[in-house]
Amino acid sequence: MKILCLSQSIGPGGAERQLTGLAVMLKNLGYEVVVITYSKNEFYKPLLVENGVEYKCIDKALSKIRRLPELFKTLKKYSPDVVISYEDGPNFVSCLSRIWGRKFKLIVSERNTNQNVKLTLRDIIKFNLYRKADYVVCNSFTQTNYIDNYFPVLAKNLLTITNFTDTNVFFPAKSIFNENTIQCICVGRIVPQKNVHLFINAIGKLKEKGYTLKIRWYGNIVYSDPYSKICLDLIKENNLQETFIFKRPTKKIQEEYQKSDLFCLPSLHEGYPNVLCEAMSSGLPVLCSNISDNPMLIKTGVNGFIFDPKDENEIVNSFIKFFSLSELDKKQIGIANRSKALSIFSKEVFLNKYLKLIDPLNNRML
């Protein structure tokens, strides 16, 4: 059986991490797998190459004018039995290809949550196209419920497969909290969705109150980008040059979790955040936004603290609550997160759910 995985890129994002991980798992089970992209952001290419997964970037398809014909041509060339597409652009192409006669099982995946109270015209077009898919997979229960509520015609083919985390890679290492300066790690792109600007202001308020911590934010920062410039200017305005540091993405992010005392995710919206799962698996206490599926994973005072991401003061108060904990309490929160990660982020559970869709008659379950 030939499986084609389609994504815009295999850059350092969470969706790309899940897709390349799935491709590797399927390859290791003996399936013929190819990963196709159209943007040369190839952060995860070494992982594919190392595991013998064929990879092809159709860079001509980066042009919106040429995207459809180039990707249609590619789908015809590879003639896959199954296509797994991640994110809106690839989902759109895959569904149109089905409309125009290509024969393959199609699994489209939603990697974020809708922020609109009601369906927009764009949503209506997208979800109508999803009727051409065999399955619509959401990585969060929040998005599954949204689609089921506003587009019930998809209900029979709609399901949730939450993200996996390799708990053998992401594991606790640091056991002593720094009493003088808490080391807080954040991971994500420097974009408005991640709420970086308001988070910087909140850290500025913490510093004014006399709290000492260091923020290391791992994510691509484009210095010519207007939003990145806003964030850099805010760091200067809040006199946080020594406190708030942007770091480039790293393939060894697990080592950075292990050097940290705390993880924070202040996003305005997410799907099922990979980074939150990784931080929990690494045994870190977590502060995060009260959005999407986050409240299902984090209970305030039990294994972290949640806050309204639009309220600077709530972010500040969540940090203050963390600072007020004893070292033993902080350790217990980390232990609770590691335990939860081991029970729900399993690669085997994730893979088996996809196998039931891809190849239900073949006994390859783990």
Side-chain angles (χ1 to χ4, degrees):
M1 177 179 286
K2 182 181 289 185
I3 301 171
L4 187 149
C5 299
L6 180 62
S7 177
Q8 179 175 331
S9 79
I10 48 172
E16 295 87 346
R17 190 177 321 167
Q18 294 292 310
L19 184 67
T20 52
L22 176 59
V24 168
M25 290 182 230
L26 292 170
K27 176 69 176 179
N28 290 339
L29 281 179
Y31 290 99
E32 185 179 352
V33 183
V34 58
V35 174
I36 302 293
T37 69
Y38 49 87
S39 173
K40 279 200 170 179
N41 190 343
E42 299 177 338
F43 186 84
Y44 286 108
K45 182 178 178 179
L47 176 66
L48 297 176
V49 172
E50 178 185 340
N51 287 276
V53 178
E54 182 180 354
Y55 166 69
K56 179 76 172 176
C57 178
I58 315 298
D59 49 4
K60 291 180 181 178
L62 190 57
S63 163
K64 290 183 180 180
I65 295 174
R66 301 183 66 175
R67 185 165 303 162
L68 287 176
E70 290 294 337
L71 291 177
F72 284 176
K73 190 193 307 180
T74 300
L75 288 168
K76 182 178 180 180
K77 172 187 173 183
Y78 282 94
S79 189
D81 300 295
V82 179
V83 170
I84 303 172
S85 61
Y86 267 40
E87 302 184 293
D88 288 356
N91 291 346
F92 178 78
V93 171
S94 301
C95 290
L96 283 181
S97 186
R98 282 287 294 270
I99 290 173
W100 289 337
R102 301 307 305 161
K103 297 186 182 299
F104 49 77
K105 181 181 287 187
L106 176 58
I107 302 168
V108 300
S109 185
E110 287 274 290
R111 311 305 302 175
N112 235 319
T113 54
N114 274 68
Q115 300 306 299
N116 309 308
V117 177
K118 294 183 179 179
L119 288 169
T120 64
L121 177 60
R122 183 177 183 277
D123 293 329
I124 292 169
I125 293 170
K126 178 174 78 168
F127 294 134
N128 264 300
L129 279 173
Y130 283 1
R131 296 171 71 173
K132 294 300 178 181
D134 293 279
Y135 298 101
V136 178
V137 172
C138 301
N139 76 332
S140 72
F141 292 98
T142 302
Q143 185 68 352
T144 301
N145 293 337
Y146 181 91
I147 296 174
D148 187 44
N149 186 39
Y150 287 106
F151 219 80
V153 70
L154 294 174
K156 66 182 189 321
N157 296 327
L158 180 66
L159 70 157
T160 307
I161 302 179
T162 56
N163 295 341
F164 76 88
T165 298
D166 191 336
T167 55
N168 292 321
V169 172
F170 295 94
F171 61 89
K174 192 170 184 294
S175 59
I176 300 174
F177 289 89
N178 190 322
E179 294 181 1
N180 298 318
T181 304
I182 290 292
Q183 300 288 329
C184 177
I185 184 172
C186 304
V187 185
R189 293 168 296 146
I190 316 303
V191 293
Q193 174 192 343
K194 302 300 182 181
N195 201 27
V196 189
H197 64 291
L198 193 141
F199 182 63
I200 292 170
N201 283 334
I203 299 304
K205 287 185 177 181
L206 273 170
K207 184 177 179 181
E208 288 176 2
K209 292 177 181 289
Y211 291 94
T212 55
L213 74 163
K214 180 162 283 189
I215 307 292
R216 291 174 294 119
W217 188 298
Y218 287 84
N220 273 326
I221 183 162
V222 180
Y223 292 95
S224 60
D225 174 66
Y227 186 72
S228 294
K229 188 176 185 308
I230 287 171
C231 293
L232 291 168
D233 287 345
L234 283 173
I235 288 173
K236 291 180 181 177
E237 288 174 20
N238 285 280
N239 195 27
L240 296 173
Q241 292 92 329
E242 301 299 319
T243 300
F244 200 113
I245 301 170
F246 286 118
K247 298 277 192 176
R248 292 289 183 185
T250 172
K251 292 181 173 67
K252 295 183 178 181
I253 190 65
Q254 69 274 14
E255 296 179 5
E256 304 309 321
Y257 288 122
Q258 291 172 347
K259 297 173 186 174
S260 304
D261 302 307
L262 174 67
F263 171 80
C264 188
L265 182 70
S267 304
L268 295 171
H269 61 94
E270 290 282 352
Y272 196 89
N274 283 285
V275 293
L276 176 57
C277 303
E278 291 168 357
M280 291 174 66
S281 185
S282 300
L284 289 180
V286 169
L287 308 183
C288 67
S289 305
N290 186 12
I291 56 164
S292 189
D293 287 13
N294 288 0
M296 299 180 192
L297 297 172
I298 303 299
K299 303 298 180 186
T300 288
V302 177
N303 62 332
F305 298 94
I306 59 175
F307 52 77
D308 179 352
K310 297 179 182 178
D311 188 332
E312 284 180 25
N313 291 325
E314 277 207 25
I315 299 174
V316 170
N317 289 335
S318 292
F319 272 93
I320 292 174
K321 288 175 185 176
F322 174 78
F323 274 98
S324 70
L325 295 173
S326 68
E327 184 171 327
L328 178 60
D329 287 338
K330 292 172 185 174
K331 286 181 179 178
Q332 289 301 319
I333 287 177
I335 290 169
N337 277 334
R338 174 65 178 175
S339 177
K340 195 164 191 174
L342 289 171
S343 67
I344 62 177
F345 301 150
S346 161
K347 290 171 65 175
E348 290 75 18
V349 170
F350 171 84
L351 179 57
N352 284 339
K353 287 181 178 181
Y354 267 104
L355 288 174
K356 287 178 182 178
L357 308 183
I358 293 167
D359 199 5
L361 300 180
N362 201 321
N363 187 24
R364 302 202 194 192
M365 301 298 171
L366 300 182

